[in-house]
Amino acid sequence: MKKILVVILVAFIIIQFFPIDKTNPAPTPGMDFLKIKNTQPEVAQLINNSCYDCHSNESRYPWYSNIAPASWILKNHIEEGRKELNFSTFATYLPKQQVHKLDECIEMIERSEMPLESYYIGHQDAKLTDAQRKILVDYFKKEKAETERKMAL
């Protein structure tokens, strides 16, 4: 048993020499969702707190991002999140894609699938109340309708 614990400890120490890359892509204010949609500050704050760490190029890395293997899991979440939806490059999506992304936002928030439960561990401010979920859903529905309206012109 003692040998197993020593092996685990040594392995834990060794993996610390393989840190994640915490570099965020350069900011793109002209393509950022909150800027191009001229989002109200209260709604922008909700989206920033609950979505932007994984779904933008403005990820903030908490203290546990320095400890493997937690850092590897975190980096994977961020990469997957950006791949699914990147608010920092929202303007690069075609209007039809924007509508689809907004639809997915609505669905995920209504089902309480986003933010992920595991995200709340280090981010209690990201936890949304029912009232906040309604604010976000209504906002995303409004933006979706506006995008669809522009597409019809």
Side-chain angles (χ1 to χ4, degrees):
M1 184 67 164
K2 196 174 184 180
K3 286 182 181 181
I4 293 172
L5 289 176
V6 169
V7 168
I8 290 172
L9 179 62
V10 169
F12 180 76
I13 291 169
I14 290 171
I15 67 174
Q16 301 314 308
F17 290 99
F18 299 94
I20 61 170
D21 178 13
K22 297 180 189 177
T23 308
N24 284 324
T28 52
M31 291 190 273
D32 184 80
F33 177 82
L34 298 176
K35 303 281 189 281
I36 64 172
K37 298 295 185 181
N38 200 23
T39 308
Q40 296 173 348
E42 305 80 32
V43 177
Q45 187 66 40
L46 286 176
I47 295 170
N48 240 322
N49 286 346
S50 298
C51 310
Y52 262 54
D53 268 349
C54 294
H55 294 283
S56 80
N57 294 341
E58 299 175 31
S59 300
R60 295 168 294 173
Y61 290 90
W63 64 269
Y64 55 86
S65 68
N66 296 312
I67 303 168
S71 60
W72 302 342
I73 295 167
L74 176 66
K75 185 65 174 178
N76 184 56
H77 278 261
I78 291 170
E79 288 173 353
E80 288 295 316
R82 286 178 183 164
K83 192 169 93 178
E84 281 298 316
L85 167 65
N86 191 334
F87 284 113
S88 293
T89 59
F90 196 82
T92 64
Y93 298 137
L94 297 171
K96 188 175 179 178
Q97 290 174 298
Q98 289 183 10
V99 167
H100 178 70
K101 298 293 182 188
L102 291 167
D103 225 7
E104 286 179 332
C105 289
I106 294 162
E107 184 180 329
M108 293 294 191
I109 293 168
E110 283 180 333
R111 291 181 176 177
S112 297
E113 291 180 19
M114 284 287 152
L116 296 174
E117 285 289 326
S118 60
Y119 185 68
Y120 298 142
I121 294 169
H123 306 89
Q124 285 299 309
D125 61 333
K127 199 169 220 172
L128 297 170
T129 65
D130 289 341
Q132 290 170 322
R133 285 186 184 284
K134 182 174 180 355
I135 289 168
L136 288 178
V137 166
D138 290 347
Y139 173 74
F140 286 131
K141 284 181 178 178
K142 179 181 80 75
E143 291 303 329
K144 178 186 167 199
E146 179 64 19
T147 304
E148 288 172 327
R149 186 189 68 73
K150 288 179 181 176
M151 284 171 48
L153 295 177

